[in-house]
Amino acid sequence: MKSKLVIALFIAATTAACSGSGNTPSTAPAVPPVSPISSLAPTAEDVAKQEALEAYEGYWRVSTAAEKAPQSKDWRSALGEYLVDPELTRHLAEIQNLASVPSHMEGDYRRSPVVTAVSLDERDPRIKITDCLDRTGLHLVSDKPGEQGRVLDNPDQPRRYEFRAEVVRYASLNDRWLVQVVEAALEKPC
């Protein structure tokens, strides 16, 4: 009989707790409803930053491939997907210089790009990116007969330094973001 009484009290207590008819205030804080559309919709600036960073990453993918195999093909069209002048011409000259030595790069850069300025002015939409370029795992290697594999690194060149890029949106090219200017700040270690 005692066990039936305990079961009856348990059921009554459970029912009362679940019915919500008690006068106990809720301990959950009142949170205003959040509109999923407003909190998830990226701003024009967010979209521009993302597109500029994608162009910058594309530039690094293609330029690194070109530095690793400068003689393998004409890199103009591949680099032209991400670069415009003056950087396109300057970078092509750098790749041609590697091929003429002959040499190539081995290893990989380590980078950490950050958008540091955004201007969405319709006359000159431009995003500035600052990166920390770490070349400690990258080496210039000779392809010259008799010297193949010899490391040609300049011991006086810093291995870690600030690297800046300006990425510009071109209305005439379907509003694509393209890298226009890069600058290696060798005097600014990072």
Side-chain angles (χ1 to χ4, degrees):
M1 174 86 152
K2 188 176 181 181
S3 64
K4 287 183 184 179
L5 181 61
V6 171
I7 293 172
L9 287 173
F10 178 75
I11 292 172
T14 306
T15 304
C18 292
S19 70
S21 62
N23 291 332
T24 308
S26 171
T27 57
V31 178
V34 176
S35 167
I37 294 171
S38 66
S39 65
L40 298 178
T43 65
E45 186 172 303
D46 292 337
V47 171
K49 285 179 182 180
Q50 183 61 38
E51 290 175 355
L53 283 168
E54 287 171 7
Y56 182 71
E57 291 301 325
Y59 152 72
W60 276 104
R61 251 187 332 276
V62 174
S63 66
T64 299
E67 290 174 355
K68 289 183 175 189
Q71 296 180 42
S72 66
K73 68 178 189 174
D74 180 359
W75 289 96
R76 178 175 293 281
S77 63
L79 287 167
E81 289 292 315
Y82 302 100
L83 299 171
V84 290
D85 281 331
E87 183 54 27
L88 178 59
T89 298
R90 189 204 66 76
H91 206 79
L92 285 168
E94 187 177 306
I95 299 304
Q96 290 167 348
N97 184 50
L98 282 172
S100 71
V101 169
S103 62
H104 69 278
M105 301 302 284
E106 285 185 2
D108 292 300
Y109 294 98
R110 287 195 326 232
R111 303 175 307 98
S112 52
V114 175
V115 172
T116 52
V118 177
S119 170
L120 297 180
D121 180 332
E122 22 180 280
R123 289 167 293 163
D124 187 28
R126 180 176 302 268
I127 292 182
K128 294 183 179 183
I129 297 172
T130 301
D131 207 343
C132 178
L133 194 61
D134 182 347
R135 299 172 47 104
T136 55
L138 189 73
H139 302 285
L140 178 64
V141 177
S142 176
D143 292 327
K144 189 181 277 186
E147 295 182 10
Q148 291 172 319
R150 185 172 142 236
V151 175
L152 304 173
D153 291 345
N154 178 351
D156 296 327
Q157 183 178 12
R159 302 304 282 165
R160 290 176 52 98
Y161 49 87
E162 190 174 285
F163 189 85
R164 298 181 213 118
E166 291 186 29
V167 186
V168 179
R169 184 173 60 207
Y170 286 86
S172 62
L173 298 173
N174 296 321
D175 282 331
R176 286 179 45 216
W177 287 92
L178 299 166
V179 177
Q180 184 185 55
V181 177
V182 300
E183 176 189 7
L186 300 177
E187 74 286 356
K188 285 192 163 185
C190 56

